[in-house]
Amino acid sequence: MSDTCHHEAIFTAFSSRRIAHRARAVRDAYIDDHADPLLAQMLDESNDLAFGKVVIAAHLGDLTGAAGDDALRRAIRVSGPGSRDLRCASLLALAKRVGTQATPDLLAGLAASDAAVKRYAVIGLAGTGGGDDNAWKQVFAYLRSVLRRKRRAHGQSEVALALAYLAQHVADPSRRFELVAFIRGNWDALDEADWFAQLWSDASPGGPDLDAVPSPNHAAIQAWAREPLFRPLGVPTA
């Protein structure tokens, strides 16, 4: 059977009304030699905003290729009711695929009104470590806004994720001074003593003078930010 015929069979199954058939088609596409363009086409064509598109977008994060990059960027721009999970999955998948090249897309996500989309944008930024002065300022502003909220997300802390990004970009002494001063001045509100004990103890209130605090271990902080969401998902279940 040629690739063309095999791909036609995959898309025939993908167009089925039966969830099991569609799930099997996604699995078959993922293990195909042309996985990236196949899943990219599925992402564009799927009408299942609540589940199917999210699964496809997430598994595109394991792959590489121009077709998938473009499809994920289109998915990131989807709006309206029920689109949150798709945008979150697509932001993370793109960050996994292209690393720092996803920075403009992640910053656009950070500017979104949805709190979950903002959080996934920060996960992507912290996990890839990309950005410039503007990105650092935007994440710093995000951190301040999170501290003003009465309720925060469960799981990997929004505060710690923002700190993980900011702390990767403090080679400049003035920037490091600014961040450590903020940390010490808002220590109780940050409520991340364990994170600092593990990754940047010198920035805590008991550390050295502000102008003597060294930069943290960049690799260790980035590794923390990448766990577990930057791991490959593997073959989808059918």
Side-chain angles (χ1 to χ4, degrees), residues 138-188:
Q138 289 187 49
V139 176
F140 212 146
Y142 167 81
L143 175 58
R144 291 189 177 96
S145 71
V146 170
L147 293 183
R148 290 193 294 267
R149 292 211 313 259
K150 293 182 179 180
R151 299 181 63 183
R152 300 175 190 167
H154 296 290
Q156 200 176 28
S157 166
E158 298 164 289
V159 170
L161 287 166
L163 289 168
Y165 176 77
L166 296 170
Q168 291 181 64
H169 298 276
V170 290
D172 179 82
S174 62
R175 183 181 285 182
R176 187 165 63 251
F177 186 101
E178 179 184 2
L179 179 58
V180 175
F182 178 84
I183 289 166
R184 293 180 180 179
N186 294 274
W187 184 254
D188 291 339

Side-chain angles (χ1 to χ4, degrees), residues 55-68:
V55 171
I56 296 165
H59 281 86
L60 274 169
D62 292 353
L63 308 174
T64 58

